[in-house]
């Protein structure tokens, strides 16, 4: 590993500290300038290729019940510049090595009247800027409470934005595309119903926020390394087009309890004139610490099926019986209850999924609804809702484990907390030990509904710390975590690579809850996936949900070819074939792509990309010379063009193309697809139709 570190110390006399400090990226594409205003307020601005992309923006923090906040009256007492260059290998990922190369400026500020010091640290990469606040150990700043962080991002114009409304409890919204000036007028329409939500402003939006300027510059605002801090949203001053950080409050309305020495997460600004470079950026990961798990041999990418979609559609249920209007764990006797006949997690059904997984080369089976408590799990502010170890009478833990083991299949544990965080922590050690004793290596956790303790929000500091505690505790037991309804990721999977998946966005389940916009999957890689992989649960083949459940009239707004492409465009080391075995058995030729596609990659090439319109990605399966391509399309039919120059020279390949038929359409003809094989080399080119809400998937196998 190459690891070069050069540091230089520059001390300024008080007569010269008013001068602006300039930082350039390693190749000079970016220039960041730091300065103090006349009243001692810290500011920065950012230029990309000599063009201003962030105008002069203020920095600082407002403190609670403090005579003076960390906003102004600062002087510069020290600056340090350095450069850093390393190449590191992720445990899993889109690529098998990542370069981490940046120039850094650390500005130490002293506040008049309080003699407090803070450090603002800037790291400038060739794909953007990261900055954070640091609070050194000192006698005048030890314990303090953040009332609000005041980091600004001043925009240079009325940019186009792809946004979801600001919310303390959910990111499960469809994206709205609009001008910044239009957010206020569209906010109420964008704020659709959810089981737990708390909107805070008509101009509040969530990160990762994707923007495009009138002259074709792409800007992405987010954060990295969210540890022991509150999740950041953005609030727009739509008169001046200035975004300002807006932290998630706790039950008391406070936004962060801090103890020096400590620091904030990184605030990130990615910029490019090529949308593909936003998708390919590894800046978020690079701003996180290296892995703290020394032995990562037990962390492995997973392709799985599960007892899930049949429940989401309403064909079967999580609960075991209709006899009990209420459940008390340890009191309610399920052995005497009459089974409802719709419980999905029963022995025979689970064995069917295990058999299907084994026959088709999958790694694991997720089973939801296996444990007691689902009869009244939601909506009652119930603390002791699950114990995570007691199965229903029709779920034989040991018997199913042995059956799965005999087939070479793992079972994925499901821990729904119903938002009762205290209860989960109370049972966590016992639950993880139960998993290890019964052969479970991975858990899907859930946080549906309002958080308990009451008044806490899904994204406040205390709950963010709970999610981190669960990840670290799982690592102690060598368990991989896939957290749903948790805070959106910020690259922490570099530090704790056992975090192999998150939801934290509007996933496939909403296709059974009324549907998502057909271009939703052309936006998510530019927003939610900037912070880490998403367990999107793709692979739906039956788009008419009423065929699963006559009472559910939802429609999946996607073609089958689009669903196949998601295994490539929506990167994740954890990929689910989410539909039921019966539906896959109806389309075995299309299902072949899901069986073949890899879940871990050595190279990734972003061929085409435009947020909201289309994404085309090629990825090389790790340890092979085989490639897979995915294309997802928005609402307008288009022709996608591929240049196969990424293939190895002198090699021959067979490409199997799974594509929309000419008359395919996400709404009227979603199951119309074609499959053909062609010979390709690195000199080949291809033009391929993508239908509305459609796309294509290609497997490229080296010809021996």
């Amino acid at each position: 590993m190459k690891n070069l570190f050069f540091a230089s110390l520059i001390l300024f006399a008080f007569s010269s500290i008013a001068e602006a400090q300039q930082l350039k990226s390693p190749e000079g594409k970016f220039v960041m300038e730091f300065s103090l205003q006349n009243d001692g307020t810290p500011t920065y601005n950012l230029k990309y290729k000599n063009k201003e992309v962030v105008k002069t923006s203020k920095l600082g923090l407002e403190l609670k019940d403090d005579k003076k906040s960390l906003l102004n009256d600062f002087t510069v007492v020290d600056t340090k510049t350095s450069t850093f260059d390393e190449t590191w290998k992720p445990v899993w990922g889109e690529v098998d090595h990542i370069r981490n190369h940046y120039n850094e400026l650390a500005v130490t500020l002293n506040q008049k009247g309080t003699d407090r010091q803070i450090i603002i640290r800037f790291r400038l990469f060739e794909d953007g800027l990261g900055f954070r606040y640091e609070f050194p150990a000192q006698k005048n700043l030890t314990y303090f409470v953040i009332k609000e962080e005041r980091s600004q991002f001043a925009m240079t114009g009325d940019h186009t934005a792809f946004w979801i409304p600001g919310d303390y409890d959910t990111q499960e919204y469809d994206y709205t595309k609009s001008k910044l000036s239009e957010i206020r007028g569209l906010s109420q329409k964008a704020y659709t119903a959810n089981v737990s939500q708390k909107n805070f402003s008509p101009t509040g939006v969530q990160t990762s926020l994707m923007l495009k300027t009138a002259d074709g510059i792409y800007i992405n605002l987010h954060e990295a390394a969210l540890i022991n801090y509150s999740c950041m949203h953005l609030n727009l001053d739509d008169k001046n087009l200035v975004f300002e950080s807006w932290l998630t409050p706790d039950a008391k309305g406070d936004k962060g309890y801090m103890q020096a020495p400590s620091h904030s997460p990184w605030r990130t600004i990615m910029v490019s004139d090529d949308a593909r470079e936003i998708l390919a950026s590894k800046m978020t990961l690079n701003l996180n610490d290296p892995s703290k798990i020394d032995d990562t041999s037990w962390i492995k990418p997973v392709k799985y099926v599960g007892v899930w979609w049949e429940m989401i559609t309403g064909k079967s249920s999580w609960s075991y019986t209709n006899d009990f209007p209420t459940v008390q764990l340890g009191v309610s006797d399920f052995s005497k209850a009459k089974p409802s006949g719709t419980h999905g997690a029963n022995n025979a059904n689970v064995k069917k999924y295990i058999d299907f997984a084994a026959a088709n080369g999958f790694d694991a089976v997720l089973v939801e609804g296996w444990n007691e408590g689902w009869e009244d799990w939601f909506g009652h502010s119930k603390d002791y809702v699950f114990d995570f170890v007691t199965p229903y009478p029709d779920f034989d833990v040991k018997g199913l484990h042995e059956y799965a083991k005999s087939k070479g299949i793992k079972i994925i544990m499901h821990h729904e907390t119903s938002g009762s965080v205290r209860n989960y922590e109370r049972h966590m050690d016992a639950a993880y030990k139960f998993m290890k004793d019964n052969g479970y290596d991975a858990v899907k956790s859930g946080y549906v509904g309002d958080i308990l303790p009451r008044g806490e929000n899904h994204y406040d500091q205390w709950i963010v710390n709970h999610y981190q505690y669960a990840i670290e505790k799982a690592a102690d037991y060598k368990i991989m975590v896939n957290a749903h309804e948790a805070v959106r990721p910020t690259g922490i999977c570099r530090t704790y690579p056992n975090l192999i998946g998150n939801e934290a966005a509007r996933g496939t389940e909403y296709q059974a809850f009324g549907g998502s916009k057909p271009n939703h999957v052309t936006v998510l890689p530019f927003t939610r996936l900037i912070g880490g992989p998403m367990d999107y649960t793709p692979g739906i083949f039956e788009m008419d949900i009423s065929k699963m459940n006559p009472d559910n009239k939802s429609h999946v707004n996607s073609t089958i070819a689009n669903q196949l492409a998601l295994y490539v465009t929506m990167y994740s080391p954890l990929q689910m074939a989410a539909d039921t075995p019966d539906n896959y058995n109806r389309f075995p030729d299309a299902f072949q792509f899901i069986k073949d596609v890899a879940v871990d990659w050595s190279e990734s090439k972003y061929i085409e990309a435009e947020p909201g319109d289309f994404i085309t990605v090629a990825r090389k399966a790790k340890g092979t010379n085989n490639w897979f391509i995915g294309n997802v399309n928005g609402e307008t039919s288009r022709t996608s063009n591929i240049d196969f120059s990424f293939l190895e020279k002198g090699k021959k390949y067979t490409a199997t193309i799974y594509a929309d038929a000419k008359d395919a359409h996400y709404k009227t003809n979603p199951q119309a697809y074609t499959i053909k094989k062609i010979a390709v080399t690195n000199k080949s080119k291809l033009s391929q139709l993508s239908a509305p809400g459609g796309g294509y998937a290609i497997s490229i196998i080296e010809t021996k």
Side-chain angles (χ1 to χ4, degrees):
M1 176 185 289
K2 184 172 66 171
N3 191 337
L4 304 174
F5 189 88
F6 306 101
S8 59
L9 175 65
I10 306 170
L11 298 176
F12 291 86
F14 282 100
S15 60
S16 64
I17 59 176
E19 295 179 6
Q21 306 304 311
Q22 194 177 87
L23 180 68
K24 292 184 178 181
S25 61
E27 297 175 15
K29 194 183 295 183
F30 288 89
V31 177
M32 190 281 301
E33 191 171 85
F34 171 85
S35 63
L36 292 177
Q37 293 183 334
N38 291 336
D39 66 350
T41 298
T43 71
Y44 76 100
N45 63 61
L46 183 65
K47 291 181 179 179
Y48 168 73
K49 294 184 176 179
N50 298 316
K51 184 178 295 185
E52 191 172 47
V53 289
V54 179
K55 298 193 296 184
T56 298
S57 302
K58 296 179 181 180
L59 299 171
L61 298 105
E62 184 179 356
L63 305 185
K64 179 185 177 182
D65 298 331
D66 205 298
K67 292 181 180 179
K68 195 166 189 176
S69 289
L70 300 172
L71 293 171
N72 52 24
D73 273 348
F74 286 107
T75 58
V76 176
V77 295
D78 186 17
T79 66
K80 289 184 173 69
T81 60
S82 61
T83 185
F84 184 79
D85 192 359
E86 70 168 1
T87 298
W88 59 278
K89 293 184 177 181
V91 176
W92 44 259
E94 296 179 88
V95 294
D96 60 10
H97 65 278
I98 294 173
R99 189 182 185 189
N100 184 14
H101 188 198
Y102 59 82
N103 290 337
E104 181 176 280
L105 170 66
V107 182
T108 301
L109 302 173
N110 195 81
Q111 189 177 45
K112 299 174 185 176
T114 66
D115 197 27
R116 291 171 168 174
Q117 284 196 351
I118 65 170
I119 298 169
I120 305 179
R121 188 176 303 274
F122 300 91
R123 287 182 181 172
L124 198 51
F125 303 78
E126 281 310 309
D127 39 1
L129 173 69
F131 65 85
R132 74 180 184 188
Y133 303 94
E134 299 178 2
F135 313 102
Q138 57 195 289
K139 67 178 182 178
N140 291 335
L141 189 66
T142 53
Y143 291 93
F144 57 100
V145 179
I146 297 174
K147 184 176 181 181
E148 189 58 84
E149 182 185 318
R150 300 292 182 188
S151 301
Q152 292 186 347
F153 307 83
M155 298 292 97
T156 59
D158 192 9
H159 304 331
T160 298
F162 297 84
W163 57 276
I164 55 175
D167 197 297
Y168 297 149
D169 282 300
T170 186
Q171 284 207 310
E172 295 176 352
Y173 295 111
D174 260 318
Y175 282 88
T176 299
K177 176 184 178 181
S178 77
K179 296 291 188 181
L180 296 179
S181 59
E182 297 171 332
I183 290 176
R184 182 183 297 272
L186 295 171
S187 182
Q188 187 172 354
K189 183 180 178 182
Y191 187 68
T192 51
N194 196 281
V195 295
S196 179
Q197 56 188 156
K198 201 171 295 178
N199 186 243
F200 60 82
S201 166
T203 57
V205 297
Q206 299 192 51
T207 70
S208 173
L209 177 67
M210 190 68 200
L211 303 160
K212 185 180 181 181
T213 70
D215 53 353
I217 302 296
Y218 301 88
I219 303 171
N220 186 281
L221 304 179
H222 194 30
E223 64 179 327
L226 174 58
I227 300 282
N228 192 23
Y229 205 82
S230 177
C231 171
M232 180 184 76
H233 310 280
L234 298 171
N235 197 45
L236 177 65
D237 172 354
D238 48 0
K239 291 183 179 179
N240 297 301
L241 301 179
V242 176
F243 284 108
E244 188 170 87
S245 56
W246 184 294
L247 303 182
T248 305
D250 64 14
K252 294 176 63 177
D254 298 327
K255 299 199 171 186
Y257 285 78
M258 307 297 290
Q259 177 185 359
S262 59
H263 56 76
S264 75
W266 295 94
R267 282 61 189 97
T268 62
I269 308 167
M270 296 178 188
V271 185
S272 180
D273 52 13
D274 186 338
R276 298 174 299 175
E277 292 184 351
I278 300 293
L279 296 177
S281 173
K282 299 295 179 285
M283 191 175 87
T284 307
L285 290 175
N286 281 330
L287 286 167
N288 279 266
D289 290 338
S291 176
K292 292 189 177 181
I293 302 174
D294 294 328
D295 173 20
T296 59
S297 61
W298 52 274
I299 302 171
K300 300 181 184 300
V302 177
K303 193 191 299 185
Y304 71 105
V305 297
V307 185
W308 177 76
W309 186 243
E310 61 182 77
M311 295 151 155
I312 292 294
T313 59
K315 180 181 179 180
S316 62
S317 65
W318 284 268
S319 59
Y320 173 73
T321 183
N322 297 325
D323 282 1
F324 297 158
T326 182
V327 169
Q328 291 181 310
L329 298 182
V331 176
S332 302
D333 188 351
F334 284 91
S335 68
K336 297 178 180 178
K338 178 184 176 182
S340 65
T342 61
H343 184 224
N346 65 77
N347 293 329
N349 197 36
V350 173
K351 285 182 177 180
K352 182 180 79 169
Y353 280 85
I354 291 170
D355 291 344
F356 182 79
N360 291 284
F362 287 83
D363 303 303
V365 174
L366 166 72
V367 184
E368 296 200 8
W370 67 277
N371 56 320
E372 290 184 357
W374 287 93
E375 285 69 20
D376 65 344
W377 71 283
F378 174 74
H380 304 293
S381 193
K382 186 177 183 180
D383 184 24
Y384 187 26
V385 59
F386 296 113
D387 67 9
F388 313 102
V389 297
T390 305
Y392 281 125
D394 60 348
F395 187 85
D396 180 358
V397 173
K398 293 190 180 299
L400 287 170
H401 165 54
E402 291 301 321
Y403 186 79
K405 185 178 180 181
S406 73
K407 301 274 187 173
I409 298 298
K410 292 280 189 178
I411 302 180
I412 297 176
M413 175 57 69
H414 183 232
H415 287 167
E416 177 55 60
T417 69
S418 190
S420 185
V421 171
R422 186 182 72 155
N423 182 59
Y424 193 31
E425 291 190 2
R426 182 192 297 139
H427 289 92
M428 195 174 285
D429 275 294
Y432 286 161
K433 186 177 185 300
F434 177 86
M435 284 180 61
K436 297 309 290 183
D437 289 345
N438 290 283
Y440 293 79
D441 296 332
V443 60
K444 174 184 176 181
S445 57
Y447 296 87
V448 175
D450 293 339
I451 292 290
L452 288 172
R454 297 173 186 89
E456 299 292 342
N457 298 304
H458 278 77
Y459 307 149
D460 68 39
Q461 181 188 31
W462 194 83
I463 306 301
V464 165
N465 287 350
H466 161 78
Y467 302 138
Q468 189 64 31
Y469 174 77
I471 296 165
E472 295 183 25
K473 177 68 71 172
D476 291 342
Y477 287 88
K478 296 188 175 180
I479 287 172
M480 298 181 287
V481 175
N482 167 29
H484 283 227
E485 295 89 30
V487 70
R488 78 284 187 277
T490 55
I492 290 169
C493 57
R494 179 189 179 187
T495 312
Y496 290 94
N498 65 315
L499 181 60
I500 60 168
N502 280 102
E503 184 191 37
R506 187 182 180 96
T508 298
E509 63 186 353
Y510 278 84
Q511 298 283 21
F513 302 159
S516 296
K517 292 180 180 179
N519 72 337
H520 185 56
V521 293
T522 69
V523 179
L524 282 173
F526 287 99
T527 52
R528 161 61 186 79
L529 271 74
I530 292 296
M534 179 178 178
D535 182 30
Y536 186 71
T537 60
I540 305 304
F541 280 12
E542 179 50 70
M543 312 308 173
D544 182 355
I545 303 302
S546 68
K547 292 182 179 179
M548 295 280 290
N549 173 13
D551 296 327
N552 188 335
K553 306 302 181 184
S554 294
H555 182 87
V556 179
N557 293 321
S558 166
T559 67
I560 283 182
N562 177 284
Q563 289 290 309
L564 298 180
L566 295 173
Y567 290 91
V568 186
T569 62
M570 294 282 290
Y571 168 68
S572 178
L574 180 74
Q575 289 284 23
M576 184 182 195
D579 214 331
T580 62
D582 291 346
N583 284 331
Y584 288 134
N585 289 335
R586 292 167 54 203
F587 304 96
D589 53 352
F591 183 57
Q592 187 63 45
F593 181 82
I594 299 178
K595 292 166 63 175
D596 292 341
V597 70
V599 287
D600 201 15
W601 311 98
S602 59
E603 293 182 57
S604 292
K605 306 289 184 184
Y606 287 90
I607 299 171
E608 307 172 301
E610 183 62 32
D613 290 338
F614 55 86
I615 296 172
T616 308
V617 190
R619 304 192 195 274
K620 187 179 182 182
K622 189 175 286 186
T624 77
N625 205 25
N626 300 329
W627 289 77
F628 294 85
I629 296 178
N631 163 272
V632 290
N633 191 36
E635 297 189 53
T636 303
S637 180
R638 67 180 293 271
T639 299
S640 171
N641 295 301
I642 306 172
D643 182 333
F644 289 87
S645 58
F646 54 83
L647 296 176
E648 188 175 343
K649 290 182 180 180
K651 299 285 187 180
K652 295 181 179 180
Y653 301 82
T654 298
T656 304
I657 304 169
Y658 304 78
D660 294 319
K662 290 182 179 180
D663 58 347
H665 188 281
Y666 72 89
K667 201 73 170 179
T668 59
N669 201 13
Q671 294 173 324
Y673 61 88
T674 64
I675 301 175
K676 66 178 180 181
K677 293 181 183 288
I678 61 172
V680 295
T681 68
N682 77 311
K683 297 180 180 179
S684 300
K685 299 182 186 300
L686 177 70
S687 294
Q688 182 61 54
L689 172 73
S690 288
Y696 58 84
I698 306 176
S699 62
I700 307 171
I701 310 301
E702 183 181 355
T703 304
K704 301 298 183 182

